[in-house]
Amino acid sequence: MPGYEWFGDEERREIQDVLDTGALGRYGFDNIRKDNKAKKFEEELCRQLNVEYAHLCSSGTAALSTALAACGVGAGDEVIIPPFTFVATFESILFQGAIPIFAEIDDTLCLNPKAIDAVLTPRTKAVVPVHMCGAMSQIDKLKEYCARKGLILIEDACQSLGGMFQGKALGTFGEMGCFSFDSVKTVTCGEGGAIITNSRERYILADKYADHGHDHTNPDRGKEDHDILGINYRISELNAAVGLAQLRKLSNMIARQREIHQVLQSAFKNIPEITFRRIPDPNGDTCTFLSFFLPSEERAIDIVAKFAEVGLDSWMYWYPNNWHYFKQWNHLKTLSVPAPIATMAFKYCPDYSKIELPVSDDYISRTISLAIRLTWSEEEINNRVQKIKTAFLK
Ligand SMILES: *Cc1c(COP(=O)(O)O)cnc(C)c1O
């Protein structure tokens, strides 16, 4: 999965370009810069994803916050999200003063379009589905639903850069799509993120918002007006340089992941108790993970123990994990937030300690994901296949 595994001279050359001049910022420095890595990264992202506009941010979390702001989602607005995601999805919503509302997932491990009705209220403003673990949600159905109900669709595609649904890039279905390039994502810059959109208006708002509201049509850095209130979610040229080199490797990374995915999947051929995560368009899966269901939570816990016994690593059992599943997000349940805006929003939030998501609990408690690494040799992969088979026979 992570781009740090394929790291080397390409990244070094791009960073050296920046170090040669000392133009570390993406704005200004026009008299000394020989390149604008952030701009180049954005152009390359637009080209690869076939989208009009991209804007780099300092993180995926910053990208989500920027997208919410640029779509006018803020104080008091309810935003529907899945309970299986990374904490950043709800953080970005709360810190805009908005209210995260959970709706159930299904066997795609992503938001179930049919589960939204149950939590819809007159205050619902947006839906933020998360394309989890490298593959897509039912984005066509979610788009159709949002259009019908007049809701804003923002895609959290932080884990699924390069994923497609029916030939169209994830992140391009909603008003805006968000990506993360943090240190463990498929393409990494160290820290970084991006928003993409086909709306010129939203792009300009995002571009201003992430740089204190500065109007970038004025080329004279330091003399720009502040059209809107913004904040600093800028990326630095050093980070953008790394990401640019990484992004050029993306299609090769995905191709390699797909090869490994296919071999690993063969290990499960004669194991009838396994069912795989439903992928709405398998051709568009980036194959960063291979996710499957056991028949029961007990059996999942048992298999996790057997994986440890046979020495199999690089897998995730998400249910007890406090980064990715709602059940362990105790800070949401105890209202322990130091920030005033989020605290204000909390007054209008449901009591998260009382929320029950039995369908999501059922799926996640039975899910194990194998995380695929780019650096595995053929021998290591075959070794893994043997270990998986042994674990299931034990
Ligand atoms: C990584 C991630 C984010 C946040 O990205 P950062 O760059 O780490 O801030 C948001 N959502 C999901 C689903 C993620 O996996």
Side-chain angles (χ1 to χ4, degrees), residues 27 55 65-73 96 176 200-217 221 224-233:
Y27 301 116
H55 184 74
S65 303
T66 301
L68 290 162
C71 290
V73 180
Q96 294 302 121
M176 288 188 144
R200 180 163 176 79
E201 190 191 345
R202 300 237 196 263
Y203 161 71
I204 289 172
L205 274 174
D207 170 83
K208 288 177 182 172
Y209 183 78
D211 181 32
H212 305 292
H214 290 318
D215 169 15
H216 297 128
T217 56
R221 184 76 177 160
E224 313 98 318
D225 280 336
H226 307 91
D227 286 8
I228 57 164
L229 188 67
I231 195 159
N232 176 8
Y233 286 147

Side-chain angles (χ1 to χ4, degrees), residues 149-215:
K149 301 280 184 180
L151 302 172
I152 294 164
L153 177 66
I154 297 171
E155 296 169 75
D156 181 339
C158 285
Q159 294 195 6
S160 296
L161 177 68
M164 309 261 247
F165 179 73
Q166 293 174 355
K168 191 168 149 62
L170 301 183
T172 64
F173 289 82
E175 292 282 333
M176 288 188 144
C178 301
F179 296 102
S180 163
F181 312 117
D182 77 24
S183 54
V184 294
K185 296 299 204 282
T186 309
V187 157
T188 180
C189 318
E191 296 285 359
I195 62 97
I196 57 167
T197 182
N198 282 311
S199 157
R200 180 163 176 79
E201 190 191 345
R202 300 237 196 263
Y203 161 71
I204 289 172
L205 274 174
D207 170 83
K208 288 177 182 172
Y209 183 78
D211 181 32
H212 305 292
H214 290 318
D215 169 15

